[in-house]
Amino acid sequence: LWRFGYSARLLKPNHFRTAASNTSFPAVWMLLAQYSGRIPGPFVVVKKNTFSTMPETVEDKANPELCSPHPGVRGMTLLDREAFKRTVVVPALKVKKEIVNSLLKSLKQSVLQRPGLKRVVEDPEDEESRLVILDPRKIPEFSLGESEQQVLRQLSVHPEVSRYNLELTYENFKSEEILRAVLPEGQDVTSGFSRVGHIAHLNLRDHQLPYRHLIGQVIIDKNPGITCVVNKTNIIDSTYRNFQMEVLAGENNLVTKVKENNIAYELDFSKVYWNPRLSTEHGRIVELLKPGDVLFDVFAGIGPFAIPAAKKKCCVFANDLNPESYHWLLHNCKLNKVDTKVKVFNMDGRDFLRGPVREELSKELPLLKEEQKTAFHIVMNLPALAVEFLDVFRHLLVGDPCSTAGLPTVHCYGFSKHNNPAKDIQERAEASLGTSLDGRCSTFQVRNVAPNKEMVCITFQIPADVLYKRPCP
């Protein structure tokens, strides 16, 4: 038998795995252990002083099944949670139940950690003992290291390693592991998403679409609080900045609540634009404002610039062309008790700049004195088109320029596929304004939107010779 066992190391492990047992524990060793009478229950005890001479298998070293569901789930499109079950062999320690907690604290780096997995199980042979499940990747060749042995000596635990047949279920695998097992080998796996309240928003690729409903259900299962999963089905509409979407799993409820920078918003995700990845940028711009400043938000959406600015005691003029965004902007101003501090408009961006913005600047700028510190900021967050709106500032006002300090500061966003996005966005802004911004502007790279596509913010004070048209004598 020993000679036969020794030759088993030359065989591939899957050659002696049976379909019925679906276990990664080699059948040869099961037979040997049964023959020697060393399997009393679901595990087999291996004495440390004899284990080093026992044959080893590829699975003992790599143990790939620990992170992989049953291979039979490959190609599944309708989620069957039962099909993910598999049995793997892991090391275990037999411990008196009264010292289990002490052992877990001392060996926390070596204990097996899997989602929803019990680290301590009943000992089928002894009611007074428990089996502590160890991580085979931390206990190579089922052999305890010196540090682990020292811990066991201190706790008076016998240093015997057990081979335990552990059943893994759907609950014990991470979403990425499940999707990698289901989708065809070599294809990209989507496990990331944007979270908008109770909604998970995906951008699936074409090869993932046959599995979209399964992907949606897995995301709901593995992410507490997610009750609806949607997939974008077209590009963002450049007029209203929303997009068509398909509900993949969960409830068909797209009205949600979000919190950004300690401010609550409510919205209908199917009708307005909201991107949780822009929270840092919203905070960056608002940080530049001081109480008493004036903010003109040309493409305000539901208020992520306007509302925190109003809370900072700025005077805010907020506009959006989308009637739904206008509705939710009003709603969120009331929700955050700043409805008296924000003037809300439902206009085209050009009309807003030529109307309320020009009127307010024409009234306020001539009144500014050198010692006054009121600043005017204009935010233009419509990256697909905003740079094209900059030509509106040409001779927007009539009269003599105010002091240089009072000239409005513009924060304009744009997308760039250029290898030098900052230079590209500056050149396009200069073309719209009809003047050079060299030495008079700064650019900030907001985020990478897609491969070779950057979102950039260019900030500058509108030059006086651009903003003002001198009256004829």
Side-chain angles (χ1 to χ4, degrees), residues 219-269:
I219 287 175
I220 287 178
D221 291 346
K222 299 297 180 179
N223 295 275
I226 295 293
T227 58
C228 176
V229 180
V230 299
N231 179 47
K232 185 172 71 174
T233 57
N234 69 346
I235 60 174
I236 294 176
D237 184 294
S238 59
T239 304
Y240 288 163
R241 294 197 296 175
N242 55 8
F243 47 79
Q244 298 297 315
M245 61 183 70
E246 176 188 10
V247 176
L248 304 182
E251 60 181 354
N252 190 3
N253 174 20
L254 298 176
V255 175
T256 188
K257 299 178 182 179
V258 296
K259 197 168 186 179
E260 180 183 275
N261 299 328
N262 296 318
I263 295 177
Y265 301 89
E266 295 180 355
L267 63 135
D268 185 335
F269 189 55

Side-chain angles (χ1 to χ4, degrees), residues 241 260 263 265 273-274 282 286 297 299-310 316 318 320 325 328-330 332-333 336 338 342:
R241 294 197 296 175
E260 180 183 275
I263 295 177
Y265 301 89
Y273 178 80
W274 180 264
H282 296 152
V286 173
D297 195 348
F299 312 105
I302 67 166
F305 287 113
I307 291 173
V316 180
D320 203 281
S325 295
W328 288 104
L329 177 57
L330 286 171
N332 287 310
C333 285
N336 289 281
V338 294
V342 182

Side-chain angles (χ1 to χ4, degrees), residues 357-372:
V357 175
R358 174 160 55 187
E359 181 181 340
E360 188 68 15
L361 291 177
S362 297
K363 181 176 66 175
E364 295 296 329
L365 287 181
L367 301 177
L368 283 182
K369 298 178 181 179
E370 287 293 335
E371 64 271 13
Q372 288 181 317

Side-chain angles (χ1 to χ4, degrees), residues 16-25 27 70 85-87 167:
F16 25 75
R17 184 184 305 140
T18 62
S21 66
N22 193 21
T23 174
S24 64
F25 192 47
H70 189 276
K85 287 183 178 180
R86 81 177 310 159
T87 304
E167 183 180 71

Side-chain angles (χ1 to χ4, degrees), residues 16 18 27 68 94 110 127 139 173 187 192 239 241 297 322 333 353 383 415 418 450 466:
F16 25 75
T18 62
S68 303
K94 184 173 182 175
S110 301
E127 292 182 359
I139 310 297
F173 295 108
Q187 292 190 351
T239 304
R241 294 197 296 175
D297 195 348
N322 182 355
C333 285
L353 289 167
F415 293 134
H418 198 272
V466 172

